[in-house]
Amino acid sequence: MIFHPLEAGASVEGNPIEAYRTDVKSKKYIYLIGGTHGDEVEGVYVLKELFDWIKSDHALEELPIVVVPILNVDGYRAGTRVNSHAVDLNRNYPSSNWDDHPRKAKYNPGPEALSEPENQFLIKLFDKFKPGFVISFHSWKPLLNYNGDAQEIAEYLSSYNEYKTVPDIGYPTPGSLGTFVPEKYDCGVLTYECPTLDDDLSLKQIWDQNEQALKNLVQSELLKEKVGK
């Protein structure tokens, strides 16, 4: 597939947030997002490998896709979960359950919902290129957390990588992407949790666990259905 760069966003520190889109015009788009948490390098790597493959395999059927390789670019450079305002971007979305009292300091939601420039940039993309399905790559433990209309895709991926599929991760996540997007845009979100290097795996081994699942998903009818193709 052929991708073109979109106008970049800017982080708290003014660093560019890159985004790319295929030429396919559509009412809805598939979003692939990495690096919401800057210290989750495994998810960033898996998305990088997937994106490299999608760009290089010109036999693939063109799909309406938007890729944001690293949303929290400042946190990624610093190796921190939070952005340069010490805000957890995945607790800062304006969902109905946004809460300004974090359960733990690392979940700091910010002074108000959508206060952070990184999330403001992503919402501008969503409003211009409506999401039909969102996959947000993270790393914690092998887990496929589905919200909205995403269970079927979670189970499809699990049939290859054997990751556990769950409708929630066992504790409240107010202001998360998985809560906000189904409410605002009426589409599914898959929070794709990869294992970490602490599990004695290399980045390549983590990609190897997921390569077949993700490549098959891109070529399946499941994603096409989400964007009306």
Side-chain angles (χ1 to χ4, degrees):
M1 297 185 207
I2 298 173
F3 285 81
H4 295 287
L6 297 169
E7 183 178 355
S11 69
V12 171
E13 296 181 14
N15 292 312
I17 306 169
E18 296 178 351
Y20 303 86
R21 181 176 72 87
T22 55
D23 275 338
V24 181
K25 295 187 183 300
S26 178
K27 292 182 178 179
K28 294 183 178 181
Y29 291 78
I30 299 155
Y31 275 78
L32 305 175
I33 303 167
T36 295
H37 295 139
D39 58 349
E40 296 179 0
V41 298
E42 301 87 351
V44 171
Y45 182 84
V46 167
L47 176 52
K48 175 188 176 298
E49 292 296 303
L50 177 62
F51 189 27
D52 285 347
W53 169 72
I54 294 174
K55 288 185 292 185
S56 64
D57 191 337
H58 300 300
L60 291 172
E61 180 180 347
E62 295 286 334
L63 292 172
I65 299 176
V66 176
V67 178
V68 182
I70 303 174
L71 181 64
N72 183 6
V73 290
D74 295 346
Y76 186 72
R77 292 183 181 199
T80 61
R81 174 184 177 90
V82 296
N83 73 351
S84 289
H85 282 159
V87 171
D88 180 348
L89 297 182
N90 208 31
R91 297 296 183 275
N92 183 244
Y93 292 101
S95 62
S96 61
N97 66 349
W98 183 81
D99 188 348
D100 63 355
H101 295 90
R103 192 168 65 90
K104 294 181 179 179
K106 68 178 183 177
Y107 302 131
N108 174 21
E112 59 185 21
L114 206 60
S115 61
E116 303 311 298
E118 297 88 352
N119 284 348
Q120 292 167 13
F121 170 64
L122 186 60
I123 297 307
K124 285 182 180 179
L125 288 179
F126 284 163
D127 288 342
K128 187 172 183 179
F129 307 107
K130 301 293 184 186
F133 194 77
V134 178
I135 304 179
S136 181
F137 290 86
H138 290 253
S139 42
W140 175 38
K141 59 183 178 181
L143 203 67
L144 299 166
N145 171 211
Y146 56 87
N147 295 101
D149 185 15
Q151 184 174 357
E152 184 179 12
I153 286 180
E155 292 175 349
Y156 176 87
L157 291 165
S158 179
S159 71
Y160 292 96
N161 62 17
E162 299 183 349
Y163 287 9
K164 185 178 180 181
T165 62
V166 295
D168 63 71
I169 59 174
Y171 55 83
T173 57
S176 69
L177 191 72
T179 302
F180 169 68
V181 168
E183 288 181 348
K184 176 70 183 291
Y185 301 99
D186 191 28
C187 78
V189 175
L190 182 66
T191 304
Y192 200 117
E193 297 280 2
C194 300
T196 70
L197 298 174
D198 292 337
D199 296 319
D200 292 326
L201 294 169
S202 67
L203 290 174
K204 184 180 183 304
Q205 287 173 320
I206 295 170
W207 166 242
D208 288 344
Q209 284 185 2
N210 291 281
E211 180 177 7
Q212 184 179 11
L214 289 166
K215 287 183 176 180
N216 286 358
L217 177 65
V218 169
Q219 298 173 90
S220 74
E221 296 298 316
L222 293 174
L223 286 183
K224 296 177 191 176
E225 292 169 0
K226 300 299 184 186
V227 292
K229 293 294 181 182

